[in-house]
Amino acid sequence: MTAEWMRCSRSLSGFGSGPRSACFGAQAARCVRAGRSAIAQTLIALAALALGTLGSPAAAHKASDSYLQLREQEHGIELRWDIALRDLDSSVELDANGDAQITWAEIKAAWPAVEAYALQRIGIDACQLRPVRRGLEQRSDGAYAVLWLEADCALSSEPVVRYSLLREIDPTHRGLLKIERAGRPVMLQVLDPTREHAPLPAAVATATEAPTAGPTAGPIAGPTAGSIAGPTTGSIAGSIAGPIAAPIAATLATPAPRLEPAPPSSFMREGVHHIVSGYDHLLFLLCLLLPAVMRRTPQGWQPVARLGQAVLPAVGIVSAFTLAHSMTLTLAALKLVSLPSSFIEPAIAVTIVLTAIDNLRPLFRMPRVMVAFFFGLIHGFGFAGVLAEMDLPAASFAWALLQFNLGLELGQLSIVFVAMAALYALRRRSGYPRWVINGGSLAALAIGALWFVERTADVSLLSL
């Protein structure tokens, strides 16, 4: 947004210290060119955001999380570590023969590599972790590899956990750790691998296979680099996304320096991270806000005259969205209401498509606030996975939920403030209805439709 355009904008709208004036002659030409330049820059920024959204691994799927449960036992510690197969697939070669069909035999053959990769990226105090058994488990968002690790040591009063899983591949990944000790309250930590500096060396031993949870099912659903086929001892019905990388033999060849521990993130920080990396939620909010600085009249879109006319609708929309997703987030995290990810993820894409269409041509007979509320109920289920999978005691859950929700709102309000400031500044430009509302809505509609196809048709369009 150029300084020339800002001067013209103040001249046209009456903002600034001097009296209102108009643009004539050469000044008018400069104003037109500056206005076009400002809108072009805004469109470039929106396009860059859309391209970044399409290129992100979080764009079309649940955020990447692993789940760790650390228990203190009489003669040592036990750690259960659940890692999504879709995440492992980006780091460990699962499809050994390259036929895009990941069989149960290939998974069994890959277990040593999976354990070696994982053990290099976890450390607890000075304990020497060793694998003792393994298995697969079906969760709401797909199939997970489960590693059980043990060590003959005692935890310190404040255990130091070093964690760097997927650090080189996915900076949005988080580890969610629950620490259980006899006679003490449950401790919770959010582990951020980007705050570590190198993989952790660890010895690798052979583990036994544990029974796989769930009934027998078929191939993995969702966008896949391959599907699991062949005889299995349990359900494999999730999604595997991303390219299959080379084996990790080179990584294991050179021992890495020992990590310095990084302080764990709070659940408030995790809430901010979740909304900022939740591109589908942000795109939905942006779709709702694009017309907030305009009025729909029989003559077409007209800019609002005062700041309050834009702020009040925006506050109502954000408040309704916040109330709705807070309700379903709480219900889903408490497991009082449960909807599968295979339904929620496509439904979130549909909310984007419908809101974008409503911007182009009136679709809903209700106020925008009601649209934000009803669609916010769906988005709340998308936020709930982080807490629902941790099976927390009531007191710990309530505190984690409060922090997480506050983080969601802080991140959301920060983004809305920036977006509304930019939209309000541009509202009087003649090209705003055509380029910002119509163009932005068409782009959102296309992205939402792409996500819907990806999440329902078992295809990955982003790799084309």
Side-chain angles (χ1 to χ4, degrees), residues 46 50 53-54 279-280 282-288 290 348-357 359-360 436-452:
L46 290 172
T53 297
L54 290 174
Y279 300 111
D280 44 8
L282 295 182
L283 188 57
F284 170 72
L285 266 180
L286 184 60
C287 258
L288 286 172
L290 286 179
I348 289 174
V350 169
T351 66
I352 296 169
V353 170
L354 293 179
T355 304
I357 293 174
N359 287 345
L360 299 170
V436 179
I437 295 182
N438 293 348
S441 298
L442 285 172
L445 193 158
I447 295 171
L450 175 69
W451 285 340
F452 178 79

Side-chain angles (χ1 to χ4, degrees), residues 92-106:
V92 180
E93 185 177 15
L94 300 179
D95 186 13
N97 58 13
D99 65 352
Q101 292 290 321
I102 302 173
T103 65
W104 173 239
E106 287 173 329

Side-chain angles (χ1 to χ4, degrees), residues 9-266:
S9 177
R10 286 194 295 270
S11 176
L12 287 169
S13 62
F15 292 135
S17 56
R20 181 178 300 189
S21 60
C23 291
F24 297 101
Q27 184 185 4
R30 287 197 303 272
C31 286
V32 170
R33 288 194 298 270
R36 288 175 178 171
S37 175
I39 292 178
Q41 291 176 31
T42 301
L43 290 174
I44 290 172
L46 290 172
L49 175 62
L51 289 175
T53 297
L54 290 174
S56 168
H61 299 284
K62 174 185 176 293
S64 172
D65 300 309
S66 76
Y67 302 94
L68 303 92
Q69 300 178 50
L70 178 60
R71 293 187 179 91
E72 191 172 44
Q73 303 182 110
E74 185 177 355
H75 300 294
I77 62 172
E78 178 188 68
L79 175 67
R80 171 179 167 149
W81 192 2
D82 294 28
I83 309 172
L85 289 184
R86 64 175 181 273
D87 291 335
L88 288 172
D89 186 54
S90 63
S91 306
V92 180
E93 185 177 15
L94 300 179
D95 186 13
N97 58 13
D99 65 352
Q101 292 290 321
I102 302 173
T103 65
W104 173 239
E106 287 173 329
I107 292 178
K108 292 177 68 176
W111 272 122
V114 169
E115 289 171 345
Y117 175 77
L119 282 169
Q120 278 203 320
R121 287 156 177 81
I122 189 72
I124 300 173
D125 288 339
C127 300
Q128 294 295 316
L129 293 167
R130 62 183 182 276
V132 292
R133 62 187 188 276
R134 56 178 74 121
L136 293 172
E137 182 173 53
Q138 178 65 34
R139 289 176 175 263
S140 63
D141 62 319
Y144 280 65
V146 184
L147 303 177
W148 282 270
L149 311 174
E150 290 184 351
D152 299 323
C153 63
L155 290 177
S156 60
S157 57
E158 295 290 337
V160 176
V161 179
R162 304 170 182 89
Y163 184 88
S164 60
L165 187 72
L166 300 179
R167 185 182 68 86
E168 306 88 351
I169 298 171
D170 184 1
T172 70
H173 173 80
R174 295 293 183 268
L176 305 176
L177 172 65
K178 178 171 68 171
I179 303 175
E180 297 176 288
R181 311 171 78 171
R184 299 191 186 186
V186 172
M187 292 179 59
L188 304 174
Q189 292 185 8
V190 180
L191 307 175
D192 182 353
T194 63
R195 305 175 78 182
E196 306 285 11
H197 304 291
L200 186 72
V204 178
T206 302
T208 60
E209 292 167 13
T212 306
T216 301
I220 289 183
T224 65
S227 60
I228 294 182
T232 70
T233 59
S235 171
I236 312 291
S239 62
I240 292 182
I244 296 179
I248 59 169
T251 305
L252 300 178
T254 305
R258 191 171 184 83
L259 292 173
E260 290 299 321
S265 301
S266 69

Side-chain angles (χ1 to χ4, degrees), residues 210-340:
T212 306
T216 301
I220 289 183
T224 65
S227 60
I228 294 182
T232 70
T233 59
S235 171
I236 312 291
S239 62
I240 292 182
I244 296 179
I248 59 169
T251 305
L252 300 178
T254 305
R258 191 171 184 83
L259 292 173
E260 290 299 321
S265 301
S266 69
F267 273 89
M268 182 179 293
R269 183 193 297 268
E270 179 65 11
V272 173
H273 161 78
H274 213 70
I275 188 66
V276 170
S277 62
Y279 300 111
D280 44 8
H281 306 295
L282 295 182
L283 188 57
F284 170 72
L285 266 180
L286 184 60
C287 258
L288 286 172
L289 294 175
L290 286 179
V293 295
M294 307 290 285
R295 293 180 296 108
R296 196 176 244 150
T297 69
Q299 293 75 37
W301 290 106
Q302 298 296 324
V304 297
R306 299 185 303 277
L307 180 62
Q309 293 175 313
V311 170
L312 291 179
V315 169
I317 288 170
V318 173
S319 299
F321 182 70
T322 297
L323 175 62
H325 77 60
S326 297
M327 290 168 56
T328 48
L329 166 60
T330 303
L331 292 173
L334 286 169
K335 299 183 179 179
L336 297 176
V337 179
S338 179
L339 293 175

